[in-house]
Amino acid sequence: MNVFKKPNIRLNNKSTTTNGDNSHKSKRSRDDGDLPTLLTITPQQQRDKFDELNEVEANRIVEGLNNPTESIWSLTAAISRRNKDRNRYSNVMPWNETRVKLPVKNEATYSDYINASYIKLQIKGETLINRYIACQGPLETTRNHFWSMCFNESEKQGNDVVIIAMVTPLIEQGMTKCDKYWPELGDSWSFNRNNLEDGIALEDLTVKNVNETYDPNEDYLLTEFELKSGIKTKKVYHFYYYRWADAKVPPSTAPLANLSRHIDEIKQATTESLENQPVPIIHCSAGVGRSGTFMVYDHLFRHRDKFRAILDTNRAKDLVYKAVFQLRTQRMMMVQTVYQYQFLYDVAKEAYYE
């Protein structure tokens, strides 16, 4: 298989919908021909597509390992001996091509590695473009790396706002999924010594917890931080959505809709220039399953009127498959489980028929 091409998947566009789908259809009358392909894909076809994504990815990994100096799927930074302790999981790694780099004083002496990837999602022929940074949940030993990345990326974007969406609880079934990498309300942490040791070119980096509020439904906690280095201060909005279990789907779409809307409101209020808007940093535990699922949700379904309009003009396209395919060209294992993948098709039907 050519790992640079997406596979051809045959679909039976005559597939019938369930009774539940027909009940949705009554809410949104369609008299303009057959339904878009995306809405007719059966659960088995969804599984087949997910298997194809995994097969393509497996070939990419082999190709990257076999051709580490030439392949666009190279993983040399992630598997380097000096960086292995910076990975939460040994099998989740960023491609060299899209990995985020820390601002170090000397790359020959110090490692610029953090397990994080730049993400860009767009629909061909449409103006819908969204950018993110996907990141693993910080380890206790990488707290300073994470906050250094936040500050540095904000500087590169030309703004003074950082948006973080944490879509994992800290602990699940007795296992630590993410370090509590932020101070308690009113407290401040300094990373100056850590950054000096790691050669990170951010002096006197500190983070202070200045405010905490729950959303009205108490689905997530919004914490505001002040992130400082030198004479510059960044305002950080940290969304902690803790009700999404690992490898599972969210209990409902309502919290995702609220979270997506809230993040967008901050982006829009931050700057009038699209080029300088803050790029949300999304992380769960590994930074692939729940993170990838939320990114596709935010990208396709944040504005449901726009989604319906795009789908009506791209009736033959499977926008879910294409979005996940795009994600995986930029970070492996995004939308990690078939259940998360199928959840996105369910949301597509819900969004289209409402």
Side-chain angles (χ1 to χ4, degrees):
M1 176 178 290
N2 185 341
V3 298
F4 301 102
K5 288 184 65 178
K6 55 192 174 189
N8 293 320
I9 299 176
R10 298 177 182 273
L11 292 177
N12 176 11
N13 290 331
K14 296 181 180 180
S15 301
T16 57
T17 57
T18 64
N19 290 335
D21 294 335
N22 288 332
S23 66
H24 282 301
K25 187 174 180 180
S26 65
K27 298 178 184 178
R28 180 172 169 80
S29 177
R30 308 300 301 168
D31 55 6
D32 52 351
D34 294 336
L35 288 171
T37 297
L38 174 60
L39 307 181
T40 68
I41 299 171
T42 66
Q44 184 56 54
Q45 289 171 332
Q46 294 167 14
R47 286 180 173 271
D48 292 342
K49 283 170 166 271
F50 186 75
D51 289 342
E52 290 279 6
L53 287 166
N54 287 339
E55 182 183 355
V56 170
E57 182 167 285
N59 280 278
R60 287 174 180 159
I61 293 171
V62 171
E63 207 271 337
L65 293 174
N66 289 339
N67 300 281
T69 60
E70 299 176 358
S71 174
I72 63 171
W73 312 114
S74 179
L75 299 161
T76 55
I79 63 178
S80 169
R81 180 173 298 179
R82 71 172 180 173
N83 293 332
K84 67 177 183 178
D85 291 339
R86 297 188 180 190
N87 295 316
R88 177 173 290 278
Y89 302 102
S90 61
N91 64 332
V92 182
M93 300 167 286
W95 311 116
N96 282 0
E97 287 280 315
T98 53
R99 73 180 182 92
V100 179
K101 296 182 180 180
L102 296 174
V104 293
K105 298 174 182 177
N106 186 326
E107 292 183 7
T109 305
Y110 300 103
S111 172
D112 64 6
Y113 179 76
I114 183 171
N115 194 317
S117 308
Y118 294 112
I119 302 294
K120 178 182 177 182
L121 288 176
Q122 63 183 122
I123 298 174
K124 186 176 181 180
E126 299 288 342
T127 58
L128 186 62
I129 299 175
N130 285 289
R131 299 179 186 274
Y132 311 90
I133 291 175
C135 184
Q136 73 175 16
L139 300 158
E140 184 177 356
T141 54
T142 64
R143 290 174 181 173
N144 65 308
H145 302 159
F146 181 80
W147 287 115
S148 295
M149 176 187 73
C150 291
F151 191 96
N152 189 55
E153 292 303 315
S154 177
E155 284 287 276
K156 290 164 62 177
Q157 294 158 19
N159 60 58
D160 292 317
V161 171
V162 177
I163 300 173
I164 303 168
M166 175 178 174
V167 288
T168 177
L170 292 169
I171 298 175
E172 287 182 299
Q173 298 179 344
M175 294 182 61
T176 299
K177 293 295 183 174
C178 179
D179 176 66
K180 186 180 180 297
Y181 56 88
W182 63 91
E184 295 292 336
L185 182 62
D187 290 343
S188 178
W189 287 354
S190 171
F191 301 105
N192 191 48
R193 186 182 68 179
N194 305 88
N195 279 0
L196 283 173
E197 292 175 353
D198 291 334
I200 295 176
L202 291 175
E203 297 181 356
D204 301 321
L205 184 70
T206 62
V207 60
K208 181 178 181 180
N209 186 331
V210 295
N211 191 42
E212 292 181 351
T213 55
Y214 283 93
D215 81 301
N217 299 312
E218 295 191 353
D219 286 315
Y220 54 83
L221 173 69
L222 172 59
T223 305
E224 298 173 42
F225 300 100
E226 289 180 351
L227 182 62
K228 295 183 178 181
S229 176
I231 62 173
K232 290 192 174 182
T233 301
K234 309 291 184 182
K235 178 69 173 289
V236 181
Y237 296 90
H238 181 276
F239 295 89
Y240 177 23
Y241 176 40
Y242 43 83
R243 294 187 177 180
W244 191 346
D246 192 15
K248 299 294 195 304
V249 301
S252 76
T253 59
L256 296 190
N258 291 336
L259 182 59
S260 177
R261 174 190 52 77
H262 205 159
I263 290 173
D264 188 54
E265 287 175 352
I266 294 173
K267 286 169 60 178
Q268 300 303 326
T270 298
T271 174
E272 295 180 358
S273 171
L274 291 176
E275 294 181 357
N276 300 118
Q277 278 189 352
V279 175
I281 297 168
I282 316 296
H283 81 82
C284 46
S285 185
V288 293
R290 288 167 286 190
S291 297
T293 305
F294 176 74
M295 288 179 197
V296 176
Y297 181 95
D298 182 70
H299 174 60
L300 292 181
F301 310 124
R302 184 198 317 144
H303 301 297
R304 298 197 169 191
D305 288 342
K306 183 180 291 186
F307 167 72
R308 288 190 285 267
I310 290 174
L311 191 56
D312 281 338
T313 57
N314 295 270
R315 302 179 66 79
K317 288 185 178 181
D318 181 350
L319 299 181
V320 169
Y321 176 86
K322 288 182 178 296
V324 178
F325 187 91
Q326 278 187 46
L327 279 178
R328 291 201 177 190
T329 64
Q330 297 165 89
R331 185 171 174 85
M332 66 170 61
M333 298 172 65
M334 297 292 273
V335 186
Q336 186 176 7
T337 71
V338 68
Y339 307 108
Q340 292 167 345
Y341 185 68
Q342 291 182 315
F343 165 77
L344 294 169
Y345 285 94
D346 293 338
V347 177
K349 290 183 180 180
E350 174 189 299
Y352 189 75
Y353 289 129
E354 70 175 13

